[in-house]
Amino acid sequence: MAYWLIKSEPDTWSWDQHMKKGADAWTGVRNHQAKAHLNAMKKGDKAFFYHSNEGKEIVGVSEVVKEAYPDPTDKTGAFVCVEFKAVEPVKTPVTLATVKAELPDMVLAKNSRLSVQPVTADEWKKIRKLAGLK
DNA sequence: GCCAACGTTGGC
DNA sequence: GCCAACGTTGGC
């Protein structure tokens, strides 16, 4: 099982909306690095849900329910999307400042613009702990 | 609201 | 195929 981090601006798609909806397609990715990560995702993989701009913190955990397929919002057909379902909200949001302090090597701390990022097993465990999850 | 970092575009 | 110009993202 692999771990990921997906970002969303709460103005566009927030964790609250995600939880209410249950499962939804993660569309709108227009970056080839991010696309490569989406293609690598397998059903059952877990991902942290991160709010950019507003909050700048990890607010929940999602799970891949449908692997990469052509993004219906992309007319060119070049990009893909993945479907996620909300699994659990965090007890304590993990802010970008905390990530930078505790996990300075994370992609999030180094390349904050990438919208889909891989997370290592060690990083996953550490962030879960910081977030108050088992 | 500003600006740095990054990706993409387009002229040559 | 290089690189300058431009647009976008996202932290501050």
Side-chain angles (χ1 to χ4, degrees):
Chain A
M1 139 128 47
Y3 301 110
W4 309 93
L5 182 143
I6 56 179
K7 299 199 310 186
S8 180
E9 296 192 32
D11 286 349
T12 310
W13 188 249
S14 71
W15 171 252
D16 285 345
Q17 286 174 286
H18 186 48
M19 274 204 300
K20 273 181 200 149
K21 187 117 183 238
D24 55 86
W26 199 258
T27 59
V29 170
R30 297 292 182 266
N31 172 287
H32 292 286
Q33 258 183 291
K35 179 194 169 185
H37 294 321
L38 290 179
N39 276 321
M41 288 183 188
K42 298 278 182 241
K43 197 171 175 180
D45 281 359
K46 298 282 189 346
F48 287 125
F49 192 111
Y50 174 82
H51 276 175
S52 63
N53 280 328
E54 291 296 318
K56 285 172 294 177
E57 56 196 13
I58 291 163
V59 289
V61 176
S62 290
E63 182 181 323
V64 176
V65 290
K66 188 170 180 184
E67 294 173 19
Y69 61 94
D71 184 343
T73 68
D74 174 32
K75 293 187 199 74
T76 70
F79 292 97
V80 299
C81 63
V82 166
E83 283 183 20
F84 290 99
K85 76 170 180 201
V87 177
E88 57 185 340
V90 299
K91 288 204 177 70
T92 312
V94 180
T95 64
L96 181 62
T98 304
V99 168
K100 281 184 170 170
E102 300 289 328
L103 297 145
D105 290 331
M106 254 189 93
V107 182
L108 186 64
K110 286 183 166 169
N111 183 3
S112 58
R113 291 193 52 194
L114 186 59
S115 54
V116 182
Q117 311 178 350
V119 174
T120 68
D122 284 348
E123 289 164 350
W124 183 264
K125 277 186 216 155
K126 196 156 181 185
I127 290 177
R128 282 191 69 91
K129 196 173 287 180
L130 291 168
L133 302 173
K134 282 188 224 163

